[in-house]
């Protein structure tokens, strides 16, 4: 679609709205534009290198408060920004999980999804991963993007407001149409779950 209606959310009417127009890598028939509303200081997700497949997504703790708590499980601590600490931070002990807000709301064209993937550096250095491995933002999803992270490391992990915590990749997909049959065609494969060996 060449044009998509801008999403309007009343409670964020004083925040900046922006249109996300830098994703153009699919078919010539569809310029893969999608509409987005951003809350975190008007900060658009961006590609860090010209050939990057994923946009870096940042944590947005600007709305966290004792009245608006972080959704978390396990041993999690939130230090709110104040006079003694300029930046809100979240601590996840090993095994702890949290749904990290991003301040991003989108309207993605039908036939596309956005896949949320871990950042390899955070995974190998700190053990910070996405609890569902790869998340999906559907075309009809209108709520805020939330990133479900888990600390799979051996030490506590701190996440700062504005820190890059995952990647988002635009993906075109096909939906399944089922065809019920009495039997399937045979193949030479014996099975799965290690049936082909390791060497």
């Amino acid at each position: 679609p060449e044009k998509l209606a801008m999403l309007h959310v009343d409670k964020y009417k004083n925040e900046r709205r922006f249109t996300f127009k830098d994703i153009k890598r699919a078919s010539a028939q569809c310029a893969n534009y999608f509409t987005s509303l951003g809350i975190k200081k008007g900060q658009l997700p961006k590609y860090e290198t010209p050939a990057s497949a994923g946009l870096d997504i940042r944590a947005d703790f600007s709305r966290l408060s004792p009245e608006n708590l972080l959704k978390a499980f396990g041993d999690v601590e939130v230090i709110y920004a104040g006079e003694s600490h300029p930046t809100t931070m979240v601590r996840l002990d090993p095994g702890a999980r949290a749904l990290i807000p991003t301040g991003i709301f989108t309207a993605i064209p039908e036939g596309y999804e956005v896949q949320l993937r871990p950042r390899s550096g955070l995974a190998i250095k700190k053990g910070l991963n996405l609890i569902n491995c790869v998340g999906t933002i559907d075309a009809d999803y209108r709520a805020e993007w939330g990133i479900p992270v888990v600390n799979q490391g051996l030490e506590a992990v701190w996440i700062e407001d504005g820190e890059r915590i995952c990647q988002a990749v635009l993906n075109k997909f096909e939906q399944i149409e089922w065809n019920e049959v009495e039997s399937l065609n045979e193949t030479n494969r014996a099975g799965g779950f290690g049936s082909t060996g390791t060497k």
Side-chain angles (χ1 to χ4, degrees):
E2 294 182 359
K3 295 182 180 179
L4 291 171
M6 181 63 72
L7 177 65
H8 179 73
V9 181
D10 287 338
K11 71 177 185 176
Y12 299 124
K13 63 184 178 181
N14 295 323
E15 302 291 349
R16 179 182 176 188
R17 291 162 178 73
F18 51 79
T19 303
F20 208 139
K21 289 189 174 179
D22 58 347
I23 300 177
K24 302 180 179 179
R25 63 179 178 78
S27 69
Q29 292 79 19
C30 176
N32 297 327
Y33 298 165
F34 60 96
T35 300
S36 177
L37 180 151
I39 294 172
K40 178 61 178 176
K41 301 173 185 175
Q43 193 170 46
L44 281 162
K46 66 178 183 177
Y47 298 102
E48 293 301 316
T49 68
S52 292
L55 293 155
D56 282 349
I57 305 300
R58 297 176 183 269
D60 178 7
F61 297 151
S62 61
R63 289 159 292 142
L64 290 185
S65 69
E67 293 74 37
N68 184 30
L69 297 174
L70 180 74
K71 188 172 185 178
F73 304 88
D75 195 349
V76 177
E77 177 186 10
V78 179
I79 297 179
Y80 299 103
E83 293 183 2
S84 61
H85 199 277
T87 302
T88 298
M89 299 178 65
V90 173
R91 190 201 79 235
L92 279 74
D93 278 358
R97 311 180 302 283
L99 187 64
I100 304 298
T102 64
I104 298 173
F105 300 74
T106 51
I108 303 167
E110 290 187 12
Y112 292 82
E113 61 158 344
V114 170
Q115 294 184 353
L116 301 176
R117 303 179 182 181
R119 295 192 67 213
S120 57
L122 290 178
I124 191 65
K125 294 175 184 177
K126 298 183 177 182
L128 190 68
N129 208 344
L130 301 193
I131 192 66
N132 56 343
C133 297
V134 176
T136 292
I137 307 294
D138 293 306
D140 57 358
Y141 182 74
R142 295 294 181 270
E144 181 178 6
W145 289 18
I147 312 302
V149 299
V150 58
N151 180 2
Q152 295 179 325
L154 302 176
E155 299 177 351
V157 172
W158 287 93
I159 301 173
E160 290 191 9
D161 185 23
E163 184 175 348
R164 292 178 291 161
I165 56 170
C166 76
Q167 299 180 82
V169 177
L170 182 68
N171 183 51
K172 189 174 183 178
F173 66 88
E174 300 290 339
Q175 289 187 326
I176 293 172
E177 293 185 10
W178 294 103
N179 180 26
E180 295 187 68
V181 297
E182 297 296 327
S183 62
L184 301 176
N185 61 308
E186 298 292 331
T187 73
N188 294 326
R189 184 165 179 161
F193 304 100
S195 63
T196 59
T198 58
K199 295 183 180 180

